[in-house]
Amino acid sequence: MSYKKIYLKPGKEESLKRFHPWIFSGAIAKVDKGVEEGDTVEVVNANNEFIAIGHSQIGSIAVRVLTFEQEEINHDFWVKRLNAAFDLRKNLGLVAGEYNNAYRLVHGEGDFLPGLVIDMYDGTAVMQAHAPGMHVARYEIVEALKEVMGEELKNVYYKSESTLPFKADLNAEDGYLYGGNAGNIATEYGLKFHADWLKGQKTGFFVDQRDNRALLEKYSKGKRVLNMFCYTGGFSFYAMRGGAELVHSVDSSGKAIDLTNKNVELNFPGDPRHKAFAEDAFKFLDNMEYGQYDLIVLDPPAFAKHKNVLRNALQGYQKLNAKAFKKIKPGGIIFTFSCSQVVSKENFRLAVFSAAAQSGRRVRIINQLTQPADHPVNIYHPEGEYLKGLVLYVE
Ligand code: SAH
């Protein structure tokens, strides 16, 4: 093993002894000459003793740890990590094929592959590097993925233009690294959808709401459902399968509304229960009538992407939820979410609590939701828990 070294300041290895996978720039005393953005490096303590191996990066997170063992980061390493990730998803029954073929195969730190995300859509892997090291290793990762998945893998689409730190200046180009002749219809719990990885947000679909959509389906029978911030309409087609009386989908993006209509059409062609509106969520809630809906989904984009905008974000969540509390039919149900990593479960609950109090209505929490099992949280990296949801019963 002959990686360039990064030397920690005395005593700065404490968090690493607890297997936290990030090393902040403030903990570093010295860096070997010639270490470049995305290089694999060996981290040693002030006494030159081995601590970890990881990917270096410019910024406040200076190293993302790949392993705490003295091992080579080579083909076998990637195969080992990807195998472990694939095994978990097989165990969860997500790789079955006909009933479900959309799932997250790699969830960054949660799969001990910090900075790497891979979502699977019927044999097409959509791969995103959030850290330069994963960008540098992308071809090796694809080779390992081919070995691990065999015939299950038909295409790999690399999509990191917008996820890599812009300072890195890596000129990442989106495109196929394997295959390229991909259809884009996948199946989630028996329902079909288009995953538009070429033009859509993130990897093309939000697989993290799968289990929460399934819960909504159970509560939808005979209900008038409003799916706010619908994007691809995920919650809408589950509500329809659950027997909703009507489903209205709202998103400010015209493209999202087109996607929603297409996805509803795939599953329920010509079904008159569904309507989609390209409108601002806040305005739509202001204009709707009291009692018009008895099930409302609020799944907005992350209101806070950084700690310094946390206060504004919490006010945003409060404002949004207050509007739904004010208008929902008595005996109604609200599914409300936050996907901002910097908003804690407690803070989110406080924002929703304030909104409820403002409405003066009697509100109870009936379910507490989070991300599904294919988005595991590394127990040493609690920051990996990002999706929070509450299901509320409003009288
Ligand atoms: N619920 C979706 C994911 C939502 S992503 C799912 O299950 O997949 C957030 C969506 O909110 C995006 O599609 C974005 O276009 C939309 N959006 C952002 N700001 C909005 C606003 N002010 N009003 C309505 N939609 C908005």
Side-chain angles (χ1 to χ4, degrees):
M1 236 177 43
S2 59
Y3 295 119
K4 293 213 163 74
K5 285 185 187 172
I6 287 191
Y7 302 80
L8 298 179
K9 290 178 184 164
K12 287 294 183 190
E13 65 266 45
E14 276 317 301
S15 70
L16 294 156
K17 284 194 181 142
R18 292 189 301 273
F19 306 116
H20 194 280
W22 294 346
I23 298 171
F24 291 97
S25 54
I28 292 172
K30 198 175 83 176
V31 177
D32 269 352
K33 254 209 199 113
V35 170
E36 287 186 22
E37 183 82 320
D39 275 356
T40 303
V41 291
E42 181 181 340
V43 181
V44 295
N45 68 11
N47 300 324
N48 203 11
E49 290 160 337
F50 176 84
I51 300 288
I53 294 170
H55 280 152
S56 75
Q57 154 174 21
I58 300 166
S60 92
I61 300 176
V63 180
R64 292 180 193 245
V65 173
L66 295 164
T67 177
F68 291 97
E69 285 163 39
Q70 286 185 301
E71 60 183 319
E72 209 70 58
I73 307 304
N74 54 18
H75 181 72
D76 291 348
F77 171 83
W78 298 112
V79 166
K80 183 174 67 179
R81 283 284 194 272
L82 292 170
N83 241 329
F86 194 38
D87 273 350
L88 171 63
R89 278 65 181 183
K90 279 194 268 190
N91 265 310
L92 298 171
L94 291 171
V95 189
E98 247 165 55
Y99 181 61
N100 195 81
N101 56 34
Y103 58 93
R104 178 153 292 192
L105 173 68
V106 174
H107 185 56
E109 282 77 355
D111 285 290
F112 311 107
L113 289 166
L116 181 68
V117 164
I118 302 178
D119 284 343
M120 293 299 307
Y121 300 110
D122 191 20
T124 296
V126 182
M127 175 169 151
Q128 282 192 323
H130 291 260
M134 291 299 181
H135 174 71
V136 171
R138 65 196 180 285
Y139 300 116
E140 286 178 61
I141 296 170
V142 173
E143 284 312 305
L145 197 57
K146 278 160 50 180
E147 182 172 327
V148 167
M149 298 193 79
E151 300 218 318
E152 299 260 359
L153 185 72
K154 295 179 215 143
N155 306 280
V156 179
Y157 187 75
Y158 185 61
K159 190 181 184 191
S160 302
E161 269 173 23
S162 61
T163 54
L164 283 164
F166 65 93
K167 276 179 264 170
D169 211 12
L170 295 164
N171 296 320
E173 272 184 26
D174 293 352
Y176 287 97
L177 298 182
Y178 175 60
N181 196 3
N184 72 346
I185 294 178
T187 306
E188 181 182 270
Y189 286 178
L191 290 161
K192 292 200 190 85
F193 65 90
H194 292 271
D196 186 3
W197 50 80
L198 298 181
K199 290 191 228 92
Q201 298 177 45
K202 305 276 168 90
T203 66
F205 191 74
F206 286 89
V207 284
D208 58 356
Q209 288 287 22
R210 180 196 317 110
D211 289 342
N212 302 330
R213 292 183 188 124
L215 181 68
L216 174 107
E217 178 180 356
K218 284 206 239 167
Y219 294 162
S220 294
K221 200 167 178 60
K223 302 271 169 65
R224 301 162 72 85
V225 178
L226 174 62
N227 179 13
M228 218 30 125
F229 308 95
C230 64
Y231 185 35
T232 54
F235 283 102
S236 302
F237 45 81
Y238 276 76
M240 292 177 78
R241 186 167 68 178
E245 187 187 305
L246 71 79
V247 179
H248 288 171
S249 308
V250 178
D251 199 290
S252 55
S253 144
K255 267 195 219 149
I257 292 305
D258 291 346
L259 272 171
T260 296
N261 281 327
K262 257 166 90 178
N263 286 336
V264 168
E265 200 55 29
L266 258 183
N267 295 287
F268 304 97
D271 195 321
R273 292 177 298 159
H274 181 258
K275 269 208 186 89
F277 304 86
E279 271 182 50
D280 175 73
F282 290 85
K283 279 201 195 124
F284 191 96
L285 289 167
D286 281 340
N287 293 336
M288 78 189 200
E289 276 162 36
Y290 176 83
Q292 198 179 334
Y293 299 102
D294 31 27
L295 207 172
I296 299 178
V297 181
L298 302 173
D299 183 25
F303 282 166
K305 294 218 163 98
H306 306 284
K307 276 222 170 82
N308 46 10
V309 290
L310 185 60
R311 244 177 75 115
N312 285 348
L314 291 174
Q315 278 168 1
Y317 288 117
Q318 182 182 336
K319 215 173 111 189
L320 177 68
N321 282 276
K323 290 185 192 297
F325 281 128
K326 197 168 145 194
K327 297 279 179 75
I328 194 162
K329 192 170 170 186
I333 292 174
I334 299 177
F335 277 63
T336 184
F337 297 96
S338 163
C339 59
S340 307
Q341 195 174 60
V342 295
V343 173
S344 69
K345 211 192 278 182
E346 292 70 29
N347 272 335
F348 178 59
R349 195 194 272 222
L350 199 62
V352 176
F353 160 84
S354 305
Q358 208 178 320
S359 73
R361 298 178 73 167
R362 199 209 283 254
V363 177
R364 282 180 275 174
I365 298 172
I366 54 175
N367 297 97
Q368 301 184 48
L369 308 177
T370 182
Q371 62 217 54
D374 54 339
H375 294 59
V377 181
N378 175 344
I379 205 159
Y380 307 111
H381 179 259
E383 295 93 331
E385 190 177 343
Y386 69 98
L387 185 62
K388 304 151 282 283
L390 294 169
V391 185
L392 306 152
Y393 185 71
V394 186
E395 291 173 54

